[in-house]
Amino acid sequence: LTAAINALLSGPNISEVSNGYMSLIPEGTKLLSASVNNGVATINFSEEFLFNKYGVEGIYGQLMQVVYTATAFSNIDSVQFLIDGAKQDYLGEGIYVGAPLPKSVFN
């Protein structure tokens, strides 16, 4: 999980960029820790994760990118986000992240 999230944070490679892929993770975001317990991945990011230059759509997209990356592992059903070790209730303008997010919230 740590390697997959760090790869996501490093952004798309040249081939991925040429195929139209982009990262919506805010620049400078660092993975501080990641763990899995009972199907929930708890992923702790640095404070840069809070500030998306693309606004609400960017925040929604960055959350989706992390959740889809994490839930690609068969033992992970949802993601609990932490920022600098603390749970946030909301990111941006009212996007709820106070409970673990499954992929189904993005459908």
Side-chain angles (χ1 to χ4, degrees):
L1 176 61
T2 299
I5 297 298
N6 278 324
L8 179 63
L9 294 179
S10 69
N13 62 36
I14 292 171
S15 173
E16 291 167 333
V17 169
S18 68
N19 286 317
Y21 292 99
M22 68 181 286
S23 175
L24 292 170
I25 309 292
E27 209 170 300
T29 297
K30 293 173 190 62
L31 176 64
L32 302 179
S33 64
S35 62
V36 180
N37 189 15
N38 294 326
V40 178
T42 300
I43 303 178
N44 183 16
F45 290 108
S46 62
E47 68 179 338
E48 289 84 358
F49 194 79
L50 293 170
F51 307 104
N52 194 299
K53 67 182 179 183
Y54 298 109
V56 173
E57 292 84 5
I59 292 172
Y60 190 76
Q62 81 189 48
L63 293 172
M64 184 184 297
Q65 287 180 319
V66 172
V67 169
Y68 273 70
T69 298
T71 58
F73 293 92
S74 62
N75 63 326
I76 299 174
D77 301 315
S78 60
V79 175
Q80 177 64 65
F81 290 88
L82 302 178
I83 307 298
D84 285 332
K87 190 186 300 185
Q88 306 288 311
D89 286 330
Y90 296 94
L91 288 183
E93 297 175 27
I95 300 173
Y96 184 70
V97 294
L101 300 179
K103 278 195 319 191
S104 62
V105 301
F106 301 105
N107 297 334

